[in-house]
Amino acid sequence: MNNFTFWSPTKFVFGKDTETRTGELVKEFSGKKVLIVYGGGSVVRSGLLERVKKSLDEQGMNHIELSGIKPNPTDDRVYEGIELARNEGIDFILAVGGGSVIDTAKGIACGVLYDGDFWDFYCGKKIVEKALPVGVVLTIPAAGSEGSGNSVITKLDGLVKLSLRTESALRPKFAVMNPELTFTLPPYQTACGIVDMMAHIIERYFSTTPECEITDRVSEGVLKAIMAEAPKVMESPCDYDARANIMWSGTLAHNGVCGTGRVEDWASHFIEHELSALYDVAHGAGLAVTVPAWMTYVAAINPSKGAQFAERVLGIERCAGDSDHDMALKGIACLKDFFRSIGMPVTMEELGIKNADIDALVKNLHLHKGELIGGYVKLSAADTKKIYQLMA
Ligand code: NZQ
Ligand code: ZN
């Protein structure tokens, strides 16, 4: 196991009616004038926004709004939010929504206190040293942004989707997580979230660092719980306990605990981010296509972790004569069946992308992420081209 620092200071307030505590939590973290960021209207329709505003009013807090953040959020809304926050003297950013809203809130939070272009942080020119505090009321378990220091934004000029990773500066101060808020999620979004959280663990599980038994076992446990709870939420969207288990899994999948002490991979995410940048598909659905193709490709080079995944996570028994490669392939078939069972695509065509421009995807990928990507197997442009071909 490698040395590591695990820093996860977010205060998670989990359970029924917890959104009524939002005002109290903003106050605890010294917010006085709040910018509420939200998406295309689900929080208005559900009445959540009104309840959050009431909770802020009860604490005597001023608040203004930035609405209409779209999935795969773009830099134009971040610039708009930075200007608004500066003009209005905002000292706290409150994201009410999912990953797209939270990531926009984080972009605004670091941009407001920086003299230059906030994009400098995303393209790696500058490191975030300070940011306004961010709080979250989560409405979709998926991206894990409520417990991560990361933010993913697409620059409209050139459709460049980049992730900014910070150790602590952009970790939310608090995350309100009421599973009831997820009852209104459409099945497709629920399933996208399930795939995304599984992918966040798989990116960390496929590691060449030896002797990480505890991190492996934590990862396997969370993956098994997700796969057991997933059919329940798909079948009964208002099953509180199933929604609660899925919601907390989404946070554990991405707050860093499943990666402690080892080198992580992240090739599948980089490969997918090019897809969602170019074709504006839902990130989780893109991953349902990417992850099995990536697993298939790396199984031919290093099948050991794929075999362990098949045995320990999916419960596939090794038959006499089965090699690690055989086991890995059986696992991949089983994972694809699972994704299909919750209504996810497993090919680009099923995702709605016909005749994808694979050369452009590969070119952008290595332009943005370097010559070689991935921690488990280092992939060149020739390798990633074959992975995109497997996805077709
Ligand atoms: O905009 P509204 O009307 O709110 O609708 C949203 C949106 O259309 C809807 N929704 C959310 N909660 C709902 C709901 N509909 C009904 N009831 C509710 N309770 O769901 C749709 C998707 O929302 P979005 O925020 O885009 O979903 P998600 O949380 O999956 O976020 C995806 C974004 O996060 C990035 C992805 O790349 C993508 O841009 N990621 C961020 C990460 C991070 N910051 O750490 C890591 C991830 O790997 C990921 O890359
Ligand atoms: Zn993801």
Side-chain angles (χ1 to χ4, degrees):
M1 191 189 282
N2 296 339
N3 289 3
F4 66 88
T5 302
F6 179 63
W7 174 254
S8 183
T10 303
K11 179 167 182 170
F12 296 101
V13 179
F14 193 97
K16 291 179 183 171
D17 301 325
T18 43
E19 66 274 17
T20 58
R21 292 181 52 194
T22 309
E24 173 200 316
L25 287 160
V26 174
K27 192 173 188 181
E28 184 181 330
F29 291 99
S30 308
K32 291 188 184 61
K33 186 146 191 200
V34 182
L35 175 63
I36 307 173
V37 184
Y38 62 94
S42 70
V43 301
V44 178
R45 289 190 295 278
S46 66
L48 172 62
L49 184 67
E50 276 314 306
R51 296 203 293 285
V52 167
K53 289 203 282 192
K54 183 165 175 269
S55 164
L56 295 175
D57 290 339
E58 281 165 3
Q59 298 294 331
M61 260 162 217
N62 290 317
H63 46 85
I64 57 167
E65 293 165 32
L66 179 71
S67 64
I69 305 305
K70 293 196 183 117
N72 297 320
T74 47
D75 60 340
D76 55 332
R77 304 310 311 276
V78 178
Y79 291 117
E80 189 185 333
I82 291 170
E83 201 184 333
L84 187 62
R86 283 184 183 148
N87 291 344
E88 298 287 336
I90 292 297
D91 62 12
F92 197 97
I93 317 280
L94 180 65
V96 184
S100 299
V101 167
I102 304 168
D103 289 359
T104 303
K106 288 176 175 176
I108 297 168
C110 62
V112 169
L113 301 184
Y114 177 58
D115 284 340
D117 182 349
F118 92 94
W119 190 252
D120 290 350
F121 298 127
Y122 287 73
C123 65
K125 265 197 213 157
K126 288 276 173 187
I127 289 172
V128 181
E129 274 157 14
K130 50 187 178 173
L132 287 181
V134 173
V136 172
V137 179
L138 187 68
T139 62
I140 171 171
S145 189
E146 71 281 3
S148 84
N150 307 353
S151 164
V152 186
I153 299 289
T154 300
K155 192 174 189 51
L156 281 172
D157 183 10
L159 293 177
V160 184
K161 185 173 185 176
L162 291 182
S163 48
L164 161 64
R165 294 175 148 230
T166 69
E167 194 183 345
S168 63
L170 291 178
R171 296 238 180 207
K173 297 292 174 207
F174 68 81
V176 165
M177 299 173 64
N178 175 357
E180 288 176 322
L181 302 178
T182 69
F183 288 179
T184 53
L185 276 170
Y188 191 75
Q189 290 300 339
T190 300
C192 285
I194 287 165
V195 175
D196 193 15
M197 61 184 79
M198 289 179 72
H200 293 159
I201 304 174
I202 289 168
E203 298 275 21
R204 294 169 163 102
Y205 188 73
F206 280 74
S207 171
T208 50
T209 311
E211 304 300 333
C212 285
E213 186 66 2
I214 179 63
T215 316
D216 268 358
R217 292 297 187 182
V218 169
S219 304
E220 288 159 2
V222 182
L223 280 167
K224 286 170 86 151
I226 295 169
M227 292 182 75
E229 298 301 305
K232 298 185 200 168
V233 290
M234 297 309 296
E235 174 94 17
S236 314
C238 299
D239 178 335
Y240 178 85
D241 289 316
R243 285 286 195 190
N245 279 294
I246 287 290
M247 196 172 209
W248 189 232
S249 298
T251 305
L252 295 179
H254 201 42
N255 78 341
V257 73
C258 292
T260 46
R262 60 182 172 201
V263 173
E264 301 177 1
D265 186 72
W266 294 102
S268 298
H269 264 70
F270 295 160
I271 291 169
E272 193 293 320
H273 280 167
E274 297 306 333
L275 263 196
S276 46
L278 204 57
Y279 298 105
D280 200 20
V281 294
H283 170 63
L287 285 168
V289 178
T290 309
V291 170
W294 172 84
M295 277 183 165
T296 307
Y297 191 77
V298 299
I301 301 162
N302 181 357
S304 59
K305 215 62 194 240
Q308 183 180 314
F309 176 81
E311 281 185 287
R312 290 201 198 172
V313 178
L314 303 173
I316 297 172
E317 282 186 29
R318 195 183 280 262
C319 303
D322 270 351
S323 65
D324 272 1
H325 189 239
D326 296 330
M327 284 301 290
L329 294 186
K330 284 187 188 181
I332 294 159
C334 178
L335 184 67
K336 279 188 180 175
D337 285 346
F338 172 76
F339 287 164
R340 281 199 194 96
S341 76
I342 57 170
M344 284 285 99
V346 294
T347 64
M348 283 209 255
E349 194 164 351
E350 287 170 15
L351 185 58
I353 305 172
K354 285 200 178 103
N355 305 318
D357 188 346
I358 290 178
D359 288 335
L361 290 164
V362 172
K363 185 169 153 255
N364 292 345
L365 173 62
H366 292 278
L367 190 69
H368 302 146
K369 294 295 172 192
E371 211 176 314
L372 296 175
I373 63 160
Y376 184 65
V377 172
K378 300 225 173 301
L379 303 167
S380 66
D383 298 313
T384 55
K385 183 169 183 170
K386 287 184 193 137
I387 294 175
Y388 281 118
Q389 283 166 344
L390 282 174
M391 290 158 63

